[in-house]
Amino acid sequence: MHTILLTTLNARYAHTALGLRYLYANLHELQDETHILEFTMNEQIQSIAEDLLKHAPRIIGIGTYIWNASQTAELIGILKKVSPKTIIVLGGPEAGYLPHRVDFSKADYVISGEGEVAFYELCKKLLAQENVEERFIRAPLPDLKSVTFPYRAYNDEDVAHRYIYVEASRGCPFECEFCLSSIDEKVRNFPLDTLLEEFEILWQRGARSFKFIDRTFNLNMTFANRILDFFLTKEPPYFAHFEVIPDHFPDILKSKIALFPPGSLQLEIGIQTLDPVIAKGINRPLKLEKIIENIRFLENETQAHMHLDLIVGLPGETIEGFGRNLDTLVSITHSEIQIGILKNLSGTTLSRHDREHGMIYSDIPPYDILQNNLLSFGQIQKMKRFARFWDIFYNSGNFNKTVPLLWGAGSVFEGFYAFSEWIYAQTLSTWKISLERQIALLHAYLIERLDIETVENALSNDLSGRPTKTIPFFLRQKNEHSVKNSENTVTPKRQINRI
């Protein structure tokens, strides 16, 4: 039995909840009677409630996020019906901002902000049966030097099979209106020497995948350089993921990034828009020339895998403007480009644009845009399908030679948009399209527009390293010929830049 349970519903099993481990690590004398139980969104809510209540907890702390808000509300309802004396405490970004857009009224307490200290203090009072009248608790920012690191709360299963999330800093100096990080403008750093000691312990335990959640990893050069040095002294293979600001790559940082071997470094770069007017409207700094210069450097002079983000639906941006952004990015990099649909996250100031730009969002998480003055509901729906098909055919890396045939010398956006419209008309779906069908659809579309030999040569080149059974029959003979004439090595998908 455990007095305190810490739980959340992760998007998938491979994910781990860093927030729960921070709470656990900072419960001090209460830690021995505390247990972490993680679930996924796809599990039955009643079964989750059953598993939690088996421990007969007095307090259940639940991490609440945009991806699990609705399921969390359902879970709270069941828990309070079955075990009304169990105290439910919510935390996380989706619970921490008022008014709540999902009904969390059955929870006993809500902690807003960084909860390491506030949750510990609340649990002490509740277990001592002290009266706590304030239901919505605004946690003061903790001194990061006094926060106990959570990394020893990762168990052996986590280290062996799941993402290890880490952070060197909190906060963001920028004020981009669509982002929760803009709320805490001051960047605070953890004690670096102690942090690196914790990373070394994780490494010695076998951790080889480190995913940093810092919003601006390359803002502080002292921190960035020493952390990069930590990995550069290690023997590959390993994988380090960083979120970086695109306009801040001093020469010393460039030189270190260039030293990383293929497959070891991933940089998530939030572009969002390349239009200075649109960027200014949402308080996003945009040094366009520097951004393009840095992306070209990373593309041509390093082995880092880039993951660039673009957003559809920003206030004032037309579909043509988005298309120009995509065309520009594809012209300077072959890396992954993640196309996101604008979301009006709780706690942001994005709603101030609603009247001027006719911004209308869904009331259901993830609160994505439905339409605005420049994009109709139908156009937004088409762009959601565009984004999904872009992931399948472009970002997957399965069709590096064939997909560019969709636009040739023309506009990337226009060429892929036409293909997106056609493929949805054939499938009426954006999910569960097998690889074999993807190949057949791409083939059917292109041979109506291009020379069949060109199309099949490109497809055969893309498929040369794949098992024969995954290749449609009409391409197998050509593929077998391609394999005999290709090099023996196969470039790992999406681990180095496209050829």
Side-chain angles (χ1 to χ4, degrees):
M1 300 298 114
H2 294 90
T3 303
I4 303 170
L5 287 184
L6 300 173
T7 192
T8 193
L9 282 69
N10 295 319
R12 59 190 66 177
Y13 168 76
H15 296 174
T16 51
L18 181 58
L20 298 187
R21 288 162 175 81
Y22 267 113
L23 296 181
Y24 178 83
N26 288 275
L27 278 171
H28 307 297
E29 77 277 6
L30 302 179
Q31 194 177 99
D32 288 342
E33 49 189 312
T34 302
H35 185 60
I36 296 174
L37 271 179
E38 293 175 280
F39 303 92
T40 67
M41 292 169 47
N42 297 325
E43 295 181 58
Q44 292 292 324
I45 301 300
Q46 291 185 13
S47 297
I48 293 173
E50 179 187 15
D51 287 345
L52 292 171
L53 293 176
K54 284 178 183 176
H55 294 259
R58 291 179 62 184
I59 300 170
I60 300 178
I62 306 177
T64 312
Y65 302 88
I66 196 169
W67 61 81
N68 69 16
S70 298
Q71 294 93 330
T72 298
E74 182 183 350
L75 175 62
I76 296 167
I78 293 171
L79 291 171
K80 295 305 286 187
K81 280 187 175 183
V82 175
S83 182
K85 292 185 178 181
T86 301
I87 299 170
I88 307 294
V89 183
L90 296 188
E94 194 55 30
Y97 299 98
L98 296 176
H100 286 152
R101 297 150 83 181
V102 174
D103 183 9
F104 297 133
S105 60
K106 292 182 174 63
D108 297 285
Y109 300 97
V110 176
I111 295 178
S112 173
E114 298 172 24
E116 289 92 350
V117 175
F119 183 72
Y120 168 62
E121 296 292 343
L122 176 62
C123 287
K124 279 202 305 181
K125 292 177 181 178
L126 294 174
L127 295 177
Q129 298 186 333
E130 294 181 27
N131 184 37
V132 182
E133 293 184 358
E134 187 177 6
R135 177 179 177 270
F136 191 85
I137 301 167
R138 298 186 185 276
L141 288 180
D143 178 2
L144 296 188
K145 293 179 181 178
S146 66
V147 171
T148 302
F149 285 114
Y151 306 118
R152 301 185 194 196
Y154 285 116
N155 61 32
D156 292 342
E157 174 85 0
D158 299 331
V159 169
H161 301 295
R162 307 173 75 192
Y163 289 116
I164 300 299
Y165 292 98
V166 296
E167 63 176 346
S169 64
R170 290 182 181 174
C172 181
F174 306 115
E175 301 178 10
C176 309
E177 293 185 323
F178 54 81
C179 179
L180 276 175
S181 297
S182 64
I183 296 169
D184 181 11
E185 299 172 24
K186 183 181 179 182
V187 177
R188 297 165 296 135
N189 298 310
F190 285 93
L192 184 54
D193 289 336
T194 313
L195 180 68
L196 292 175
E197 289 172 7
E198 293 292 323
F199 290 173
E200 181 62 33
I201 292 171
L202 279 173
W203 183 275
Q204 295 302 327
R205 292 179 60 197
R208 294 295 182 270
S209 179
F210 293 74
K211 193 161 187 178
F212 284 75
I213 64 171
D214 305 54
R215 291 300 185 186
T216 51
F217 173 77
N218 56 331
L219 184 70
N220 185 315
M221 283 299 99
T222 299
F223 268 66
N225 280 312
R226 285 194 61 190
I227 290 170
L228 293 178
D229 285 341
F230 171 84
F231 290 103
L232 287 171
T233 62
K234 303 300 183 184
E235 188 71 26
Y238 56 80
F239 176 78
H241 170 104
F242 301 101
E243 242 183 275
V244 295
I245 43 180
D247 58 9
H248 189 61
F249 282 85
D251 288 343
I252 187 170
L253 184 62
K254 288 181 177 179
S255 65
K256 287 188 186 298
I257 290 174
L259 296 174
F260 278 81
S264 63
L265 184 63
Q266 176 167 287
L267 303 178
E268 184 173 346
I269 305 175
I271 303 297
Q272 319 312 356
T273 181
L274 293 172
D275 187 321
V277 175
I278 302 304
K280 185 177 180 180
I282 55 173
N283 293 329
R284 182 171 181 80
L286 185 64
K287 300 175 183 176
L288 191 56
E289 291 184 4
K290 182 61 69 173
I291 289 171
I292 291 176
E293 174 191 323
N294 289 337
I295 291 174
R296 282 185 169 144
F297 169 80
L298 294 169
E299 172 79 11
N300 299 315
E301 306 295 331
T302 80
Q303 300 290 343
H305 169 57
M306 285 187 287
H307 170 128
L308 300 101
D309 298 320
L310 279 179
I311 293 181
V312 174
L314 290 171
E317 187 157 78
T318 64
I319 198 70
E320 292 80 12
F322 173 85
R324 288 192 293 271
N325 294 337
L326 184 63
D327 287 352
T328 299
L329 285 186
V330 173
S331 73
I332 61 176
T333 177
H334 295 102
S335 296
E336 181 178 350
I337 301 171
Q338 187 69 42
I339 298 172
I341 307 299
L342 181 66
K343 300 171 182 61
N344 186 13
L345 302 179
S346 301
T348 65
T349 59
L350 199 58
S351 292
R352 76 179 184 88
H353 298 282
D354 289 358
R355 183 183 295 273
E356 179 183 357
H357 294 285
M359 311 293 282
I360 298 175
Y361 302 93
S362 170
D363 293 326
I364 299 171
Y367 315 119
D368 50 327
I369 190 168
L370 298 176
Q371 66 180 41
N372 61 29
N373 288 344
L374 297 174
L375 297 174
S376 68
F377 175 67
Q379 286 176 311
I380 293 288
Q381 291 297 105
K382 289 180 179 181
M383 286 307 300
K384 288 179 181 177
R385 294 192 286 269
F386 180 105
R388 173 60 182 158
F389 291 133
W390 182 264
D391 270 345
I392 292 174
F393 290 94
Y394 186 88
N395 285 339
S396 68
N398 289 331
F399 305 106
N400 292 345
K401 299 294 185 183
T402 311
V403 164
L405 298 178
L406 292 170
W407 53 81
S411 163
V412 174
F413 173 75
E414 291 177 5
F416 198 89
Y417 186 91
F419 175 63
S420 172
E421 290 280 87
W422 178 86
I423 200 169
Y424 185 69
Q426 308 303 308
T427 63
L428 297 178
S429 176
T430 59
W431 298 93
K432 297 183 179 179
I433 302 174
S434 68
L435 177 61
E436 184 172 359
R437 194 171 187 208
Q438 292 169 31
I439 297 165
L441 287 165
L442 193 55
H443 179 269
Y445 182 83
L446 286 172
I447 63 171
E448 292 296 319
R449 294 156 178 81
L450 299 171
D451 172 72
I452 189 170
E453 190 71 14
T454 299
V455 174
E456 293 190 349
N457 283 341
L459 274 171
S460 295
N461 190 307
D462 283 331
L463 302 172
S464 61
R466 293 198 164 271
T468 301
K469 65 180 181 181
T470 66
I471 302 172
F473 178 78
F474 62 87
L475 282 176
R476 286 181 187 173
Q477 185 175 1
K478 185 179 289 289
N479 181 69
E480 289 168 1
H481 177 75
S482 176
V483 169
K484 290 178 182 178
N485 290 281
S486 67
E487 295 180 359
N488 293 326
T489 57
V490 178
T491 302
K493 181 179 66 178
R494 284 296 175 196
Q495 293 301 302
I496 65 173
N497 293 338
R498 296 180 181 196
I499 297 171

